[in-house]
Amino acid sequence: MSAGIQPLRDRLNAMLGEIEIFESEWQKATRPAVLLAPCSADSVPLADLPGLKHLRGLIQIDLKLLDKVLQTIKRNPSVNPSYLISVWEQVLRNGLNVSHLFKTVRVSKDPEDSSVFVKQAKPHSKLSQTVKIDIVSHNGRRWQRINTVKNSKIIAEFKELDSYLTDDESEENIREAQISELDSSILVMGSCMFSVSRLLFTLRLARALTRAARDNPVTILDENPPVIPTITLHLTRLDPASIQDPRMDQILEKLHDMGIETVLGPRPLAVYRSLSPPRILPTAQLNLDLSCLRALVSDITHAPLPEMAKECERRFTTNSDTSPAIRKLIERGKSAEGATIHSQQLTAQLLPEIDHELIKTLHNMLVEQAGYSVADIQFWTTNEALQRMLRIVNDIGSDTEKGRAKAIADGDIGGFWASSRHPHQYMPLLPIQIFASSTIETLPELPSTGPLCFRSLYHSAASFWSTPDSNRGRVTPHTVHSMMFGASKNITTITANHQSIRAFSRGLIPASEEGIASIWSIGPRNLTSGAGELREE
């Protein structure tokens, strides 16, 4: 007995290790279509694969039971490791396409069906039954259910059916009648009814799944009409070739007529393959939101960099109220406490700029990695974002930051790069194009064509636009406005607003779908208010 149990136990134990690796890789590979800067990796939280934790728990339970059997050499426990193994095999075959395990969906009640496997929900519910789907994949469009009924069980049921034949009945006619009645409310076998017939269970399960698919069509964003999920029934331990009975073919034909794909018999073991995170790239044309415009005019982005990290602390000293940097901030209207906090923020933002310069990051991603020619790269923004940036810089910006902001508004390429450490027009930032009719009072239309990632961003942003201010959290209307405009034009939006990225990402499709970034996250770079003009203290 232990000779047959040990391989099953070993496979279950190996699955636990595979699940741990799969979970980590799946989470990273199915992140929303957001291109993340090194300093903003945590702005898009990792999502769990629903049902994976439950699968892990079921495996651990079966392992404990199998260990007891191996230790006591008693009869086989009431476990079905082949079912869990089959589920995991299908997970591996679907890879990144898996979106849910062991999902329960509601299904309209069939008054003729009193199946024991369909759970009854609350009586007042219009959809008063539920049915389980083992594996949901391909954005909910494909459902898979595992059934581990054995050949021997089916043959035994056929023999049981035959025992009710009488001498004066036509064997052929009775067998046809038996199969025709299998998918009705009762299984007629003379005067007997089998309530636990595996044949009846399989057909009723199929009927419930097809009803559930019709009751739960899948809509991906604005798709019309909704898509009814396809259903695959895996009969993993069934080999109809060894069942010499025409009723088996009739059952499979009935499943086919219901629109259910059947996969029969065991398949070669799936080999675990690493799930590589998808490579996502921005579009050649890019939309700049307010936070990105601020970053592009900031002295942190353009002033000469300190050669060592310690010099950052000297540039924006925060240890004393007598710091020249803090004095300059106080002169510009900040309180002593506010100036100290701002000075600390500037120091924290200057440190990553040393390793990941914003202008060079844009050039590296667009030219070297995405392979765009400089002539094809173009930057856009909304009139709302531009006007807000000009007002903010005019209030608290340094003289050099005000000069760059004015250069953006005027399209003055030379003026923008005049006080920058970067070569003239190292990136073709200017002239920045302005979207037509892009004031805060005007909303763009949903793109009718183009990559799905932009439609998902548009829908996600639009949901915030219609949300009362008190429920938006820290997501501001002008940020929502910018995101909607970028999405409407099917171009990547660059932002340093990590709170917004976290909020919008909940509604975005996985990056693995198309490989295009709907949002590009950069690290924040505040206006220095002149404190950044201090080189060494």
Side-chain angles (χ1 to χ4, degrees), residues 241-316:
S242 62
I243 303 177
Q244 302 301 320
D245 194 302
R247 286 171 291 189
M248 189 70 245
D249 294 331
Q250 293 176 42
I251 291 172
L252 296 176
E253 184 177 349
K254 278 188 172 293
L255 293 173
H256 180 268
D257 292 343
M258 293 181 198
I260 293 181
E261 176 192 14
T262 54
V263 179
L264 307 175
R267 300 177 65 183
L269 290 179
V271 179
Y272 186 88
R273 290 182 174 85
S274 179
L275 304 177
S276 301
R279 184 170 182 249
I280 60 173
L281 297 171
T283 54
Q285 297 191 56
L286 302 117
N287 172 39
L288 312 177
D289 80 341
L290 174 61
S291 64
C292 184
L293 290 173
R294 278 205 314 260
L296 288 175
V297 302
S298 171
D299 284 333
I300 291 177
T301 302
H302 294 274
L305 289 172
E307 295 182 2
M308 300 178 63
K310 288 185 178 180
E311 294 181 28
C312 294
E313 299 176 6
R314 292 204 297 269
R315 180 171 296 188
F316 303 116

Side-chain angles (χ1 to χ4, degrees), residues 9 17 20 124 139 161 166 282 326 332 345 399 410 428 437 439 454 490 497:
R9 190 211 174 279
E20 184 176 353
H124 60 75
N139 290 319
L161 287 169
T166 60
I326 292 178
R332 291 180 178 268
Q345 291 174 342
D399 292 340
D410 297 341
S437 303
T439 59
F454 295 114
N490 290 320
N497 191 329

Side-chain angles (χ1 to χ4, degrees), residues 353-388:
E353 174 72 9
I354 295 175
D355 296 323
H356 304 283
E357 298 181 54
L358 175 57
I359 302 299
K360 288 186 176 180
T361 297
L362 295 176
H363 184 276
N364 177 64
M365 177 58 67
L366 294 170
V367 177
E368 298 180 21
Q369 295 191 42
Y372 300 128
S373 68
V374 173
D376 292 334
I377 299 171
Q378 193 173 48
F379 294 89
W380 292 76
T381 193
T382 63
N383 186 60
E384 172 70 18
L386 177 62
Q387 296 305 318
R388 278 181 173 269

Side-chain angles (χ1 to χ4, degrees), residues 45 65 133 165 257 339 422 470 507 526:
L65 292 173
I133 306 161
L165 292 174
D257 292 343
H422 302 288
S470 58
N526 289 346

Side-chain angles (χ1 to χ4, degrees), residues 338-524:
T340 300
I341 294 173
H342 185 61
S343 182
Q344 291 171 341
Q345 291 174 342
L346 294 175
T347 301
Q349 293 167 8
L350 182 58
L351 285 167
E353 174 72 9
I354 295 175
D355 296 323
H356 304 283
E357 298 181 54
L358 175 57
I359 302 299
K360 288 186 176 180
T361 297
L362 295 176
H363 184 276
N364 177 64
M365 177 58 67
L366 294 170
V367 177
E368 298 180 21
Q369 295 191 42
Y372 300 128
S373 68
V374 173
D376 292 334
I377 299 171
Q378 193 173 48
F379 294 89
W380 292 76
T381 193
T382 63
N383 186 60
E384 172 70 18
L386 177 62
Q387 296 305 318
R388 278 181 173 269
M389 183 271 291
L390 292 173
R391 290 196 297 269
I392 293 171
V393 175
N394 185 61
D395 287 343
I396 62 173
S398 68
D399 292 340
T400 49
E401 289 168 342
K402 290 177 181 177
R404 291 187 203 103
K406 184 177 185 301
I408 287 178
D410 297 341
D412 180 4
I413 298 175
F416 181 82
W417 297 102
S419 58
S420 177
R421 68 176 182 269
H422 302 288
H424 177 82
Q425 199 66 338
Y426 177 66
M427 270 298 295
L429 288 170
L430 271 59
I432 296 177
Q433 307 297 316
I434 308 298
F435 293 120
S437 303
S438 56
T439 59
I440 195 68
E441 295 82 12
T442 308
L443 293 180
E445 294 183 356
L446 173 73
S448 57
T449 59
L452 193 61
C453 63
F454 295 114
R455 298 212 301 277
S456 72
L457 174 57
Y458 184 97
H459 280 283
S460 182
S463 67
F464 278 91
W465 186 263
S466 58
T467 301
D469 291 346
S470 58
N471 296 331
R472 283 192 187 132
R474 298 177 67 179
V475 180
T476 59
H478 67 80
T479 300
V480 176
H481 188 256
S482 286
M483 291 291 174
M484 291 179 71
F485 260 94
S488 72
K489 305 299 181 182
N490 290 320
I491 66 176
T492 303
T493 296
I494 308 181
T495 181
N497 191 329
H498 296 170
Q499 291 288 340
S500 296
I501 295 172
R502 180 180 289 271
F504 293 135
S505 66
R506 298 181 188 128
L508 301 186
I509 66 168
S512 57
E513 292 289 318
E514 297 165 316
I516 300 174
S518 56
I519 300 176
W520 183 352
S521 162
I522 60 172

